[in-house]
Amino acid sequence: MSSFDQLISELELLEADAAKDIAEAIDVEALENLRVGLLGKKGRVSLVLASMGKLSGEERPKVGQRANLLKRQLQELLTERLDKVKSLALKNRLVEESIDITYPPSGVPFGHRHPLISTSEKIVDLFCGLGYQVSEGPEIETDYYNFSALNIPEDHPARDMQDTFYLRNNLLLRTHTSPVQIRYLEENPPPVRIVAPGRVYRRDAVDATHSPVFHQVEVLSIDEGLDFSHLRGTVMAFLKSFFGDLPVRFRASYFPFTEPSAEVDVKWRGRWLEVMGCGMVDPAVLNGLGLDPERWSGFAAGLGVERFCMVRHEIDDIRRLYTSDLRFLEQF
Ligand code: DAH
């Protein structure tokens, strides 16, 4: 084979090889290596051109032309493939980094306050805003704190087995938060202003408005010169902050530990609903604590948290508050 034919066939071989290699290159780096190996100073095309010395004057431009044509072709192939490789890489990245917004979340869900607790906290907050301090007492009480010290006589129906859960050793589950009044006054001389939230227990059958376990907030204020107008003013200010403009009424009532006593109703869904009991602390209670009723007077109140919660959230059945149904609780 003549040198001329040899160089021409070498260029043809090179063309076929290069086209195949370029088409198979998978990334930018591989293409750059190919470019250097084909078109670089010491690349395969340059090698062919370097060996043109053996050719005749006529043959040389022919091989030169062929080689230049090949250079342009290879350059085009390389550029084309480079574009393709780049757009493929982008596509792959988009697939890898895409976010499936329908995928279930993996985070741990946050809990929140039970509506009864948040209601109790709101009541306590409002009294704290009026200068009251939080106090608490035990849920297991003695007969003395739950009844006797509160001027509740031996034969009072509240002491009945029907109403009270009795434990061994003269202990019982407190039937109201009022014993906190006595415990606090034993330790702290007046003036006092306290608000005492807590759980209480009664032997009630469960229905839409009763539960054997429920929640109260006790309020007590003892000072010099307190009278019923202070009680009424405090209760009205509190109810207005809590309920807004719901109608309120005071009804004369009876509690052994207050005199006079009242029950307070708010009008809800066209009916009067009792939400708290209150009154002026009975002098017999103060005497029992060694406080002079001629000097000290005050008022107390006991609020039913469930009622406040039901009105606030438009809940019509107390049982919903205790069944721990998340579909219900998640609404608050
Ligand atoms: N302890 C009463 C009850 O559970 C509620 C109550 C009424 C509390 C009048 C008071 C009060 O402090 O003054 O039914």
Side-chain angles (χ1 to χ4, degrees):
M1 206 194 282
S2 71
S3 299
F4 175 79
D5 290 340
Q6 209 178 330
L7 282 183
I8 291 295
S9 75
E10 216 168 285
L11 285 174
E12 271 160 11
L13 187 70
L14 203 163
E15 183 180 355
D17 277 357
K20 184 166 169 283
D21 289 348
I22 291 171
E24 282 171 2
I26 50 157
D27 56 24
V28 177
E29 203 193 338
L31 280 171
E32 178 58 15
N33 288 340
L34 278 177
R35 191 188 65 76
V36 173
L38 293 166
L39 304 173
K41 266 189 206 151
K42 293 174 185 162
R44 282 177 72 186
V45 178
S46 301
L47 277 172
V48 173
L49 292 175
S51 50
M52 282 201 306
K54 313 166 202 156
L55 301 178
S56 68
E58 270 169 54
E59 289 167 337
R60 229 176 274 164
K62 286 186 183 157
V63 174
Q65 265 179 3
R66 181 72 182 84
N68 281 334
L69 184 68
L70 180 61
K71 267 188 182 175
R72 257 183 279 128
Q73 280 173 336
L74 293 181
Q75 194 61 61
E76 261 172 42
L77 285 176
L78 284 166
T79 315
E80 240 172 63
R81 183 65 191 161
L82 189 66
D83 283 350
K84 196 139 189 191
V85 159
K86 278 184 181 167
S87 82
L88 253 146
L90 179 66
K91 216 164 154 186
N92 284 339
R93 223 180 112 191
L94 286 176
V95 169
E96 267 169 35
E97 295 179 5
S98 74
I99 296 166
D100 180 356
I101 57 163
T102 64
Y103 201 75
S106 58
V108 179
F110 282 104
H112 61 76
R113 291 271 195 282
H114 188 281
L116 273 178
I117 300 303
S118 64
T119 300
S120 178
E121 284 180 350
K122 184 174 176 192
I123 294 169
V124 167
D125 271 1
L126 291 174
F127 278 99
C128 287
L130 296 173
Y132 287 68
Q133 288 196 351
V134 180
S135 180
E136 280 175 311
E139 290 176 23
I140 294 177
E141 266 298 5
T142 63
D143 187 273
Y144 173 75
Y145 287 108
N146 198 77
F147 297 125
S148 309
L150 288 159
N151 198 34
I152 300 174
E154 289 286 341
D155 56 356
H156 193 278
R159 294 200 174 205
D160 203 306
M161 292 283 290
Q162 301 282 307
D163 292 312
T164 305
F165 287 108
Y166 285 97
L167 308 171
R168 266 172 296 187
N169 304 326
N170 251 336
L171 295 172
L172 49 82
L173 295 179
R174 68 178 176 189
T175 59
H176 52 181
T177 43
S178 300
V180 182
Q181 294 186 27
I182 308 299
R183 287 184 174 274
Y184 191 83
L185 283 172
E186 277 182 353
E187 301 291 325
N188 304 274
V192 307
R193 273 172 186 66
I194 55 159
V195 56
R199 212 169 353 198
V200 301
Y201 303 82
R202 284 186 206 171
R203 285 183 161 249
D204 278 325
V206 179
D207 65 21
T209 53
H210 291 88
S211 158
V213 185
F214 58 104
H215 299 76
Q216 289 188 334
V217 175
E218 193 78 13
V219 176
L220 175 70
S221 178
I222 305 282
D223 207 332
E224 288 171 307
L226 290 182
D227 59 37
F228 199 87
S229 65
H230 298 106
L231 164 59
R232 197 184 153 84
T234 303
V235 168
M236 291 305 285
F238 160 71
L239 289 177
K240 195 170 164 69
S241 331
F242 193 95
F243 289 124
D245 286 324
L246 282 191
V248 174
R249 82 175 176 192
F250 280 64
R251 256 182 310 112
S253 185
Y254 171 78
F255 296 102
F257 37 92
T258 47
E259 177 60 29
S261 305
E263 281 171 301
V264 183
D265 303 335
V266 297
K267 200 166 199 177
W268 183 56
R269 295 185 167 174
R271 289 179 171 204
W272 290 108
L273 181 75
E274 185 202 322
V275 292
M276 62 199 283
C278 60
M280 301 307 294
V281 175
D282 195 302
V285 173
L286 296 173
N287 270 327
L289 289 159
L291 297 171
D292 179 6
E294 296 297 324
R295 180 176 174 202
W296 302 107
S297 62
F299 56 84
L303 292 66
V305 176
E306 277 72 3
R307 295 284 175 90
F308 279 82
C309 183
M310 288 166 81
V311 174
R312 179 185 185 199
H313 294 300
E314 303 272 343
I315 299 163
D316 50 17
D317 191 325
I318 200 172
R319 285 167 292 197
R320 290 199 177 281
L321 294 171
Y322 303 114
T323 39
S324 300
D325 182 341
L326 285 181
R327 291 168 305 173
F328 170 74
L329 292 175
E330 273 166 356
Q331 300 173 58
F332 302 96

